[in-house]
Short mmCIF file of all heavy atoms in Angstrom, two decimals:
data_model
loop_
_atom_site.label_atom_id
_atom_site.label_comp_id
_atom_site.label_asym_id
_atom_site.label_seq_id
_atom_site.Cartn_x
_atom_site.Cartn_y
_atom_site.Cartn_z
N THR B 74 9.69 0.35 9.68
CA THR B 74 11.09 0.77 9.67
C THR B 74 11.84 0.05 10.78
O THR B 74 11.33 -0.06 11.90
CB THR B 74 11.21 2.29 9.84
OG1 THR B 74 10.56 2.95 8.75
CG2 THR B 74 12.66 2.72 9.90
N ILE B 75 13.01 -0.44 10.43
CA ILE B 75 13.89 -1.04 11.43
C ILE B 75 15.15 -0.18 11.49
O ILE B 75 15.86 -0.06 10.48
CB ILE B 75 14.27 -2.49 11.10
CG1 ILE B 75 13.04 -3.32 10.75
CG2 ILE B 75 15.00 -3.12 12.29
CD1 ILE B 75 13.35 -4.73 10.26
N ASN B 76 15.37 0.46 12.60
CA ASN B 76 16.57 1.26 12.79
C ASN B 76 17.70 0.39 13.31
O ASN B 76 17.48 -0.45 14.18
CB ASN B 76 16.30 2.39 13.79
CG ASN B 76 15.41 3.46 13.21
OD1 ASN B 76 15.73 4.06 12.19
ND2 ASN B 76 14.27 3.70 13.82
N SER B 77 18.89 0.57 12.76
CA SER B 77 20.06 -0.19 13.18
C SER B 77 19.76 -1.69 13.20
O SER B 77 19.70 -2.33 14.26
CB SER B 77 20.52 0.27 14.57
OG SER B 77 21.75 -0.34 14.90
N VAL B 78 19.57 -2.22 12.00
CA VAL B 78 19.21 -3.64 11.83
C VAL B 78 20.25 -4.53 12.50
O VAL B 78 21.46 -4.32 12.37
CB VAL B 78 19.09 -3.97 10.34
CG1 VAL B 78 18.98 -5.47 10.13
CG2 VAL B 78 17.87 -3.26 9.73
N GLN B 79 19.74 -5.55 13.19
CA GLN B 79 20.59 -6.55 13.82
C GLN B 79 20.54 -7.86 13.03
O GLN B 79 19.61 -8.11 12.27
CB GLN B 79 20.14 -6.79 15.26
CG GLN B 79 20.13 -5.53 16.11
CD GLN B 79 21.52 -4.90 16.21
OE1 GLN B 79 22.46 -5.53 16.68
NE2 GLN B 79 21.63 -3.65 15.76
N ALA B 80 21.50 -8.72 13.26
CA ALA B 80 21.57 -9.99 12.54
C ALA B 80 20.31 -10.82 12.74
O ALA B 80 19.84 -11.49 11.82
CB ALA B 80 22.81 -10.78 12.96
N GLU B 81 19.75 -10.75 13.94
CA GLU B 81 18.56 -11.56 14.24
C GLU B 81 17.29 -11.02 13.57
O GLU B 81 16.22 -11.64 13.66
CB GLU B 81 18.34 -11.64 15.76
CG GLU B 81 18.08 -10.32 16.44
CD GLU B 81 19.35 -9.74 17.06
OE1 GLU B 81 20.45 -9.99 16.51
OE2 GLU B 81 19.23 -9.02 18.08
N ASP B 82 17.39 -9.89 12.88
CA ASP B 82 16.23 -9.34 12.18
C ASP B 82 16.02 -9.96 10.79
O ASP B 82 15.01 -9.67 10.14
CB ASP B 82 16.34 -7.82 12.05
CG ASP B 82 16.42 -7.12 13.40
OD1 ASP B 82 15.91 -7.70 14.40
OD2 ASP B 82 16.98 -6.02 13.47
N ALA B 83 16.96 -10.77 10.35
CA ALA B 83 16.78 -11.46 9.07
C ALA B 83 15.57 -12.37 9.15
O ALA B 83 15.51 -13.26 10.01
CB ALA B 83 18.03 -12.28 8.74
N ALA B 84 14.59 -12.11 8.30
CA ALA B 84 13.30 -12.81 8.41
C ALA B 84 12.39 -12.34 7.27
O ALA B 84 12.76 -11.47 6.48
CB ALA B 84 12.64 -12.50 9.75
N PHE B 85 11.20 -12.93 7.23
CA PHE B 85 10.12 -12.43 6.39
C PHE B 85 9.25 -11.51 7.27
O PHE B 85 9.03 -11.79 8.46
CB PHE B 85 9.27 -13.57 5.85
CG PHE B 85 9.90 -14.30 4.70
CD1 PHE B 85 10.74 -15.36 4.92
CD2 PHE B 85 9.63 -13.91 3.39
CE1 PHE B 85 11.32 -16.05 3.85
CE2 PHE B 85 10.20 -14.59 2.32
CZ PHE B 85 11.05 -15.66 2.55
N TYR B 86 8.75 -10.45 6.64
CA TYR B 86 7.86 -9.52 7.33
C TYR B 86 6.55 -9.42 6.55
O TYR B 86 6.56 -9.26 5.33
CB TYR B 86 8.53 -8.15 7.46
CG TYR B 86 9.71 -8.19 8.40
CD1 TYR B 86 10.97 -8.58 7.95
CD2 TYR B 86 9.56 -7.88 9.75
CE1 TYR B 86 12.04 -8.66 8.82
CE2 TYR B 86 10.62 -7.95 10.63
CZ TYR B 86 11.86 -8.35 10.15
OH TYR B 86 12.93 -8.43 11.02
N TYR B 87 5.45 -9.53 7.28
CA TYR B 87 4.12 -9.50 6.66
C TYR B 87 3.27 -8.39 7.29
O TYR B 87 3.26 -8.24 8.52
CB TYR B 87 3.39 -10.82 6.86
CG TYR B 87 4.03 -12.00 6.18
CD1 TYR B 87 4.94 -12.82 6.85
CD2 TYR B 87 3.73 -12.30 4.85
CE1 TYR B 87 5.53 -13.90 6.22
CE2 TYR B 87 4.32 -13.39 4.21
CZ TYR B 87 5.22 -14.18 4.90
OH TYR B 87 5.81 -15.24 4.26
#
Side-chain angles (χ1 to χ4, degrees):
Chain B
T74 298
I75 311 173
N76 288 303
S77 188
V78 169
Q79 303 299 301
E81 62 263 31
D82 299 335
F85 283 88
Y86 292 85
Y87 295 93

